[in-house]
Amino acid sequence: MECPKCHKPVDDEAIFCPNCDTRLRPDKNTSIMKRFKKQDKPLKGEVIDDKKPKLSEGKLKVILISVAVVLLIVLVILIVVNVISGKGEKTAESISEYIGVDVAKAQKKLDMHFKDESAFQGVNNALTFDYIMESDDSVNVDGINYPEWAALVTVDDKERIQTVKYSDFKVLKSNANGEEKSKAINLDKFEQGEKWNSLSDAIDLEYYSILWAKDTKTYVYRYWYENDAGDRQPVVLNVTFDTDNKYLYYTSTLIYPEYL
């Protein structure tokens, strides 16, 4: 065999030329590595990248927009529910601004038409009023249907508005006696002139009624507690404020039998 570099004769089995040290046979390991480097595709079962595929910018935008739309719908529903649930109280409060005014004139100013009878017999039987505005939707309290809310108006002998009472019967839906308390509520520690928020935190109940009179505003609560005899004792709690929303006094009435 002849050396390709120096062209001198060499043994057929020689790996290197004895004259110029030129390699006459290829390195097996080098050849194998070259073949691996030339492969464009990974071998079967070979893991190239364990990273998860990323979302495209378009898909990410679609997801974000969808989430925003859902949140907006939820927000709108909450606002609508809040407005609807506060309609009765706002109606009663608007009427209360005309205490001392002829009822016909008040209706005209308010663009309202008062009814002299409720569409719900439970209201007619249990409550005292001369005129009423009420919800068309009903709620069942202890097997009797009531409107979800009612604004009850009383007048004097000259048809002038004397009182306006807002009642939210939804508050009594679970129990006509109201919420359970561990004991009777005592507000003796509060002095006249304190704000409603302070007393409301101490009471820790949802009022079911508000009564407006000429110079006062009374929040009415219903609750019950277990007395010493082990019986349920229903209570109506009235907390009265002046026109500046400053605390005046409170009364607690034990109920025998139950009434609304």
Side-chain angles (χ1 to χ4, degrees):
M1 183 174 65
E2 182 180 283
C3 174
K5 184 175 182 181
C6 64
H7 301 290
K8 292 183 178 181
V10 295
D11 189 88
D12 290 342
E13 301 296 327
I15 296 176
F16 293 94
C17 175
N19 302 300
C20 64
D21 291 329
T22 298
R23 177 179 282 277
L24 302 176
R25 299 180 184 277
D27 187 340
K28 293 183 179 180
N29 292 332
T30 301
S31 299
I32 292 173
M33 291 302 296
K34 284 182 178 180
R35 287 200 299 272
F36 272 107
K37 288 181 180 180
K38 288 181 180 180
Q39 289 179 345
D40 293 330
K41 297 181 180 180
L43 295 176
K44 185 176 182 181
E46 183 180 3
V47 178
I48 301 299
D49 189 356
D50 61 353
K51 292 183 180 180
K52 295 181 180 180
K54 296 182 179 179
L55 289 173
S56 65
E57 185 176 346
K59 289 183 178 179
L60 184 59
K61 285 183 178 179
V62 171
I63 292 174
L64 291 176
I65 292 173
S66 300
V67 171
V69 169
V70 171
L71 291 176
L72 181 60
I73 292 173
V74 171
L75 179 60
V76 170
I77 292 174
L78 290 175
I79 292 174
V80 170
V81 169
N82 185 58
V83 170
I84 292 175
S85 63
K87 181 180 179 181
E89 184 173 340
K90 291 177 181 177
T91 297
E93 187 172 18
S94 297
I95 299 172
S96 73
E97 295 175 1
Y98 290 87
I99 289 177
V101 177
D102 180 82
V103 67
K105 183 177 180 180
Q107 291 185 83
K108 185 176 181 180
K109 290 285 187 181
L110 293 166
D111 194 22
M112 295 180 183
H113 177 67
F114 302 161
K115 301 187 299 180
D116 55 12
E117 187 177 75
S118 172
F120 299 86
Q121 200 57 41
V123 174
N124 294 324
N125 293 337
L127 302 175
T128 300
F129 60 92
D130 295 304
Y131 299 97
I132 186 172
M133 293 283 290
E134 62 187 355
S135 168
D136 293 328
D137 298 320
S138 65
V139 60
N140 191 280
V141 181
D142 286 353
I144 300 175
N145 284 330
Y146 293 91
E148 288 191 347
W149 60 265
L152 309 165
V153 179
T154 64
V155 298
D156 60 17
D157 55 1
K158 294 184 178 180
E159 285 291 295
R160 293 175 298 195
I161 296 176
Q162 284 189 309
T163 65
V164 180
K165 183 178 183 180
Y166 161 71
S167 292
D168 185 355
F169 295 100
K170 297 190 302 298
V171 175
L172 305 180
K173 180 179 180 180
S174 299
N175 189 339
N177 291 326
E179 298 180 45
E180 178 184 5
K181 301 293 283 187
S182 60
K183 59 183 179 180
I185 295 174
N186 189 315
L187 302 178
D188 290 344
K189 68 178 181 178
F190 291 97
E191 298 180 355
Q192 288 187 352
E194 295 205 43
K195 292 293 186 181
W196 179 78
N197 288 340
S198 300
L199 281 88
S200 179
D201 291 341
I203 296 169
D204 193 26
L205 290 171
E206 185 177 1
Y207 57 83
Y208 95 94
S209 184
I210 304 175
L211 176 66
W212 287 269
K214 183 179 180 182
D215 298 314
T216 60
K217 180 179 182 180
T218 300
Y219 292 88
V220 185
Y221 304 84
R222 288 182 67 91
Y223 72 96
W224 65 272
Y225 65 94
E226 190 173 299
N227 59 25
D228 294 337
D231 299 323
R232 286 189 177 189
Q233 177 57 69
V235 182
V236 172
L237 174 66
N238 296 275
V239 187
T240 302
F241 297 80
D242 63 16
T243 53
D244 293 324
N245 214 30
K246 293 181 179 179
Y247 171 62
L248 295 176
Y249 57 87
Y250 83 99
T251 60
S252 289
T253 304
L254 304 184
I255 305 304
Y256 304 103
E258 299 175 1
Y259 74 95
L260 289 175

